[in-house]
Amino acid sequence: MSGRFAGKVAVVTGAGRGMGRAVALRFGREGARVVVAEVNPEHGAQVAVEIRAAGGTAIAVTVDVSQTSDVSRLFAATVKELDTVDILVNNAGIAVARPILDYTEEEWERQMGVNVKGVFFCCQEAARLMIPRRQGKIVNFASTSAFVSSSKPEVAYDTSKGAVRQMTVSIAAELAPHGVNVNAVAPGTTATEMTRSTLATEEGLAWQVARIPMGRVGQPDDIASAVLFLCSAEASYITGHTLVADGGWLLY
Amino acid sequence: MAVTIITGAGSGIGAATARELARRGDSVVCADVRLDTAETTAGELPEALAMEVDVTSAASCSRMVEETLRRFGDVNSIVTCAGVEKHGPGHEFAEEDFDWIIAVNLKGSWLSARSAVRAMIDAGHGGTVVMIGSINSVVGNPGASAYCASKGGVLMLGRTLALDWAQFGVRVNIVGPGVVDTPMSAKSLADPQRRARMMERTPLGRPAPPGEIASVIAFLTSDASSFMTGAYVPVDGGSLAAW
Ligand SMILES: NC(=O)c1ccc[n+]([C@@H]2O[C@H](COP(=O)([O-])OP(=O)(O)OC[C@H]3O[C@@H](n4cnc5c(N)ncnc54)[C@H](O)[C@@H]3O)[C@@H](O)[C@H]2O)c1
Ligand SMILES: NC(=O)c1ccc[n+]([C@@H]2O[C@H](COP(=O)([O-])OP(=O)(O)OC[C@H]3O[C@@H](n4cnc5c(N)ncnc54)[C@H](O)[C@@H]3O)[C@@H](O)[C@H]2O)c1
């Protein structure tokens, strides 16, 4: 398949739905060979089928990114099936939303396990493959919550996204001499399952929309196009940046 | 077909942007205080118009947009690349140099964008504005107080105009180049010691050719950046990420 990413191998975690799915479908359409890495086996398989039905190339690998053994298996399977990894998009994420007094230690560990540890070990495995080839693109999912607090209390989630933002900076500085670009995206409120309950009520949606200068919430495709840009040759001199795509949320 | 005005298109980043946007099919207006260099840029492009503009003059900026409307019938984007730089320690720097840098880099970005966005609002459609800030929008540089002040100003100008103009569907974003190989930086890059110092703080280890800034401007003037407004996008080889 031709396209901006013809032949490139792109691993997208959490690609079974939401923004990860949008990213995976776009990569498929633009010629990449896509690895749909997802904890929900049915969702992952379905997205791979969708990509192939549209004429693209995709495999699905079931993986819980918070388990390092799963992460190793994901990269081993990718190398076995598709030889290498050119692009890694760390999209998989969960939001454990609670007031501070209600968090348990287990919930904290789960939040950090997926959103921070998962991102780190996927980056490590990818770097192992990218450094010797002197090329590669990594995009992590931060959030506007890496800059300001979420609009409801979820300190563990906000902390995890702050960590992703800083991890992006430090890995970028370390890998730049090896020709690997590492960036993040910071979506604002985007219409996915993660925000469904917030946006389901009329007041919930109205409050968000009133708060966003562009007057609408983001759609998965808005964010996917920002992610693909960061993985493209057009963004070759950008590294260590968290690209904000929030309709203006952070402006005031 | 999109119509894009580029100020400072006679040289460096502006000229590269004109070429990149013409390549994707935009009608481009190459505006510069130097008509001869604007003509050189436009001369190589299929659907381009060269124009003289002094971005420090409101009247000149209005004329630029009127002329664009006369020739192409519309304006969809403006990229404000016109810029000047002069070095000197803050205690010795001349007042007229300070005023000049602020007038071109800061006020000029506003005046030229204002004229173009008025036309977008009149036409009842949205559009995009890209302002050229600098890594010096966010970090200082000794001996460049006026330049850094102007670029810090551009960042806040762009962010606030993004708020003013979101309701009209006009997105405003700010690009922050690091070290770019253009006439503006030629002297520093030619001095081996200064070049080495600049590269020490650039993890990718090389200056950017201006085309690498232009490709990011192309993204910000396209639908691919549909949910981005008021964003600062560094194109600095990782300088802001470095120690
Ligand atoms: N929706 C928003 O408003 C918003 C805003 C900012 C940032 N984000 C971030 O964007 C990313 C995508 O979110 P979304 O809104 O599409 O959410 P989503 O819940 O719709 O999708 C997340 C996907 O990740 C998968 N996943 C969860 N845990 C996993 C694990 N341990 N291993 C592998 N896969 C796992 C889920 O099964 C799901 O398919 C997340 O990192 C999220 O934090 C979302
Ligand atoms: N070169 C770099 O390393 C670098 C780094 C960061 C930011 N920038 C910024 O990028 C922008 C473009 O810089 P460049 O490197 O291409 O410089 P350049 O000197 O090559 O081009 C600047 C152009 O602006 C024009 N100009 C100057 N005053 C004007 C006025 N009053 N009205 C209209 N046009 C005018 C000049 O004639 C010239 O053609 C500037 O804003 C600059 O500050 C450059």
Side-chain angles (χ1 to χ4, degrees):
Chain A
M1 215 180 185
S2 64
R4 264 195 299 179
F5 300 101
K8 299 279 187 210
V9 176
V11 176
V12 185
T13 69
R17 71 179 194 202
M19 290 187 255
R21 173 175 172 271
V23 169
L25 293 177
R26 289 283 292 276
F27 270 130
R29 236 183 294 144
E30 298 206 31
R33 295 180 288 159
V34 186
V35 180
V36 179
E38 168 58 55
V39 73
N40 181 313
E42 289 87 51
H43 289 176
Q46 205 179 317
V47 171
V49 166
E50 269 184 85
I51 293 172
R52 290 195 292 264
T57 306
I59 59 168
V61 179
T62 303
V63 58
D64 176 348
V65 296
S66 68
Q67 305 299 315
T68 50
S69 54
D70 274 26
V71 171
S72 305
R73 193 171 43 73
L74 163 66
F75 283 83
T78 301
V79 169
K80 184 156 169 271
E81 299 269 329
L82 302 170
D83 297 329
T84 188
V85 173
D86 297 291
I87 295 165
L88 166 66
V89 178
N90 280 306
N91 159 85
I94 55 171
V96 184
R98 305 263 182 286
I100 184 169
L101 300 183
D102 298 347
Y103 275 107
T104 64
E105 183 177 357
E106 197 194 355
E107 285 166 345
W108 174 270
E109 298 285 0
R110 194 158 64 85
Q111 180 65 83
M112 296 302 156
V114 178
N115 290 21
V116 183
K117 184 177 167 187
V119 172
F120 176 78
F121 284 100
C122 285
C123 286
Q124 189 190 54
E125 288 289 347
R128 232 187 273 292
L129 298 167
M130 290 171 176
I131 289 171
R133 300 175 63 224
R134 300 200 50 76
Q135 60 169 340
K137 310 279 184 189
I138 298 176
V139 176
N140 299 324
F141 268 69
S143 166
T144 46
S145 305
F147 298 84
V148 297
S149 88
S150 289
S151 44
K152 61 176 182 242
E154 45 181 345
V155 54
Y157 179 78
D158 296 356
T159 304
S160 77
K161 293 302 182 181
V164 167
R165 183 175 168 221
Q166 181 57 40
M167 199 194 309
T168 301
V169 167
S170 298
I171 298 179
E174 194 176 336
L175 296 188
H178 300 287
V180 178
N181 297 58
V182 186
N183 291 291
V185 279
T189 307
T190 305
T192 68
E193 279 299 307
M194 189 178 272
T195 50
R196 195 171 49 83
S197 62
T198 311
L199 302 179
T201 68
E202 228 163 272
E203 317 93 271
L205 179 64
W207 188 89
Q208 293 281 331
V209 166
R211 177 68 185 74
I212 300 168
M214 282 180 69
R216 64 178 181 90
V217 300
Q219 296 299 324
D221 257 332
D222 286 317
I223 310 305
S225 50
V227 172
L228 265 71
F229 164 70
L230 288 172
C231 296
S232 73
E234 286 81 67
S236 50
Y237 206 56
I238 301 181
T239 197
H241 181 52
T242 296
L243 189 75
V244 177
D246 67 349
W249 180 282
L250 288 179
L251 290 175
Y252 69 111
Chain B
M1 196 162 37
V3 180
T4 303
I5 298 174
I6 298 144
T7 71
S11 176
I13 296 170
T17 302
R19 286 193 290 270
E20 173 88 20
L21 299 188
R23 201 154 51 90
R24 79 169 179 202
D26 285 19
S27 305
V28 296
V29 175
C30 302
D32 202 287
V33 73
R34 283 187 55 184
L35 183 60
D36 60 326
T37 58
E39 277 170 343
T40 305
T41 306
E44 300 163 352
L45 307 174
E47 189 67 8
L49 182 62
M51 216 182 273
E52 188 176 333
V53 69
D54 179 354
V55 296
T56 66
S57 152
S60 179
C61 289
S62 315
R63 270 198 306 278
M64 168 178 76
V65 172
E66 280 160 23
E67 192 62 32
T68 302
L69 294 176
R70 222 178 350 262
R71 170 65 188 267
F72 292 123
D74 205 358
V75 54
N76 305 96
S77 299
I78 181 162
V79 185
T80 63
C81 297
V84 291
E85 197 247 8
K86 187 167 182 176
H87 254 68
H91 56 286
E92 286 169 7
F93 210 64
E95 184 177 353
E96 53 278 18
D97 288 336
F98 189 95
D99 287 344
W100 173 60
I101 289 174
I102 297 292
V104 178
N105 295 2
L106 179 55
K107 189 174 172 191
S109 298
W110 172 63
L111 286 176
S112 50
R114 183 181 70 163
S115 291
V117 170
R118 282 176 174 171
M120 295 173 197
I121 293 171
D122 285 347
H125 59 61
T128 60
V129 177
V130 177
M131 294 190 170
I132 312 304
S134 164
I135 186 161
N136 296 133
S137 293
V138 285
V139 295
N141 185 15
S145 51
Y147 182 78
C148 292
S150 75
K151 292 298 183 177
V154 165
L155 176 59
M156 223 50 226
L157 174 72
R159 284 185 171 162
T160 310
L161 293 177
L163 288 172
D164 286 354
W165 296 339
Q167 59 182 311
F168 303 110
V170 175
R171 299 186 292 106
V172 185
N173 292 290
I174 305 98
V175 168
V179 186
V180 188
D181 203 347
T182 72
M184 187 183 277
S185 51
K187 234 172 80 193
S188 317
L189 286 173
D191 173 347
Q193 249 180 330
R194 280 168 74 185
R195 184 191 173 98
R197 217 171 35 237
M198 286 154 88
M199 286 307 101
E200 225 169 71
R201 296 290 295 270
T202 307
L204 285 180
R206 58 180 177 84
E212 260 177 311
I213 315 302
S215 58
V216 176
I217 292 168
F219 165 68
L220 292 172
T221 52
S222 78
D223 282 344
S225 56
S226 48
F227 205 47
M228 293 178 61
T229 197
Y232 172 79
V233 183
V235 194
D236 63 5
S239 293
L240 285 180
W243 48 97

